[in-house]
């Protein structure tokens, strides 16, 4: 674990959605329960078939939750970015983690061991309330993913993928919506279950038609009229 002063830890935990509305005194009271660790790009955060004892909150970076099918093909269940949390299922039920986690870029993560996690949620009502909201978001994401995978049309499946992420990462402008998260074509392919070549073709057609644009920071902007088609 990297050493981090109380002041530094306080500032970093403010970036985590689970703790965003805690008072200064409430946040200060949980600092001793939290460790901070850096992960390199490609480093495993949660290993396959781990019985996870830790709750993770992403302070900075990007982490993907993955499993491999019987043919060894990687299936991405979710991609988390700064402010997100993960690892909650096995921390609560004590069973095997349903997916492994890998850093997609250099990432800084807050780690809370199981006993400390239960101490925090039993003593901090705001954290418990945020956790319940967090579970609702997870459940809605699962329903949306099931709907996405039911589409036979590749363009509709890709658009559904982006619409799922609008609520979490979207910013509304006068001309449309910008999704402030960087997804590679391979990321989208792994999540939607279609080939990278198909993803590249569909997105290329949208860009050619002026329906979407790729901004300088690699975020994607969707034309408001194009969104209304879906």
């Amino acid at each position: 674990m990297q050493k981090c002063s109380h002041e530094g830890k306080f500032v970093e935990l403010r970036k985590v959605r689970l703790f965003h509305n805690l008072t200064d005194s409430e946040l200060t009271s949980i600092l001793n329960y939290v460790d901070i660790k850096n992960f390199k790009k490609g480093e495993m955060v949660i290993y396959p078939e781990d019985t996870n004892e830790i709750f993770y909150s992403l302070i900075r970076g990007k982490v993907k939750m993955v499993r491999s099918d019987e043919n060894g093909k990687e299936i991405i269940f979710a991609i988390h970015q700064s402010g997100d949390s993960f690892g909650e299922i096995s921390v609560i039920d004590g069973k095997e983690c349903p997916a492994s986690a890998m850093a997609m870029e250099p990432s800084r993560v807050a780690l809370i061991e199981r006993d400390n996690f239960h101490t925090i949620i039993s003593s901090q009502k705001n954290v418990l309330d945020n956790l319940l909201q967090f579970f609702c978001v997870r459940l809605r994401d699962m329903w949306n993913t099931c709907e996405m995978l039911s589409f036979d049309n590749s363009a509709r499946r890709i658009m559904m993928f982006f619409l799922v992420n609008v609520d979490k990462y979207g910013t509304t402008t006068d001309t449309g919506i910008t999704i402030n998260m960087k997804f590679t074509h391979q990321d989208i392919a792994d999540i939607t279950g279609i080939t990278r070549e198909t993803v590249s073709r569909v997105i290329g057609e949208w860009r050619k038609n002026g329906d979407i644009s790729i901004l300088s920071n690699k975020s994607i902007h969707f034309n408001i009229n194009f969104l209304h088609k879906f």
Side-chain angles (χ1 to χ4, degrees):
M1 303 292 175
Q2 284 74 31
K3 290 184 178 180
C4 184
S5 68
H6 266 49
E7 292 78 8
K9 195 181 291 186
F10 181 95
V11 171
E12 294 196 296
L13 289 184
R14 276 285 180 222
K15 302 173 184 177
V16 175
R17 293 187 183 91
L18 194 66
F19 308 126
H20 78 280
N21 59 346
L22 269 62
T23 65
D24 287 353
S25 61
E26 288 172 338
L27 188 58
T28 299
S29 71
I30 70 171
L31 295 182
N32 287 333
Y33 297 128
V34 183
D35 291 311
I36 305 290
K37 184 176 180 180
N38 293 325
F39 291 88
K40 299 176 182 177
K41 179 180 179 180
E43 186 175 356
M44 298 302 298
V45 181
I46 302 175
Y47 284 88
E49 301 181 355
D50 266 1
T51 302
N52 187 40
E53 300 285 337
I54 297 174
F55 180 82
Y56 302 85
S57 291
L58 191 54
I59 295 168
R60 181 177 64 252
K62 189 161 65 171
V63 170
K64 62 181 177 180
M65 307 299 295
V66 298
R67 289 191 71 168
S68 297
D69 64 16
E70 63 273 12
N71 298 314
K73 183 180 185 299
E74 185 179 88
I75 302 170
I76 298 180
F77 287 90
I79 295 178
H80 301 302
Q81 70 167 7
S82 302
D84 291 343
S85 297
F86 56 95
E88 71 285 350
I89 295 177
S90 51
V91 164
I92 291 173
D93 67 15
K95 297 181 181 178
E96 180 181 303
C97 191
S100 56
M102 177 185 291
M104 302 177 70
E105 61 187 38
S107 300
R108 190 162 173 82
V109 183
L111 293 75
I112 306 174
E113 294 183 358
R114 173 184 282 134
D115 289 345
N116 291 336
F117 175 77
H118 285 286
T119 297
I120 290 172
I121 62 174
S122 64
S123 62
Q124 300 289 346
K125 184 180 182 300
N126 281 336
V127 175
L128 181 58
D129 289 344
N130 292 341
L131 188 65
L132 292 174
Q133 290 295 323
F134 170 79
F135 285 146
C136 289
V137 171
R138 282 278 198 271
L139 187 56
R140 289 186 184 277
D141 285 349
M142 183 182 69
W143 289 340
N144 289 332
T145 298
C146 289
E147 182 181 1
M148 176 188 70
L149 295 176
S150 72
F151 293 137
D152 292 329
N153 181 280
S154 297
R156 284 188 62 83
R157 191 178 284 196
I158 295 169
M159 178 50 73
M160 186 65 188
F161 163 79
F162 284 117
L163 291 176
V164 166
N165 285 283
V166 163
D167 287 341
K168 291 188 288 186
Y169 309 119
T171 301
T172 302
T173 69
D174 292 338
T175 58
I177 293 178
T178 298
I179 296 181
N180 302 298
M181 188 174 182
K182 302 169 188 175
F183 295 101
T184 68
H185 290 187
Q186 189 62 58
D187 293 339
I188 299 170
D190 290 338
I191 293 172
T192 58
I194 56 183
T195 65
R196 183 191 58 77
E197 291 77 12
T198 299
V199 172
S200 298
R201 175 180 57 78
V202 171
I203 290 179
E205 290 174 357
W206 290 348
R207 293 183 68 182
K208 182 178 179 181
N209 296 334
D211 297 322
I212 68 171
S213 55
I214 310 299
L215 306 183
S216 58
N217 64 354
K218 303 302 181 182
S219 296
I220 301 177
H221 182 76
F222 289 82
N223 183 293
I224 191 166
N225 294 323
F226 179 57
L227 288 171
H228 286 161
K229 295 179 183 179
F230 295 86

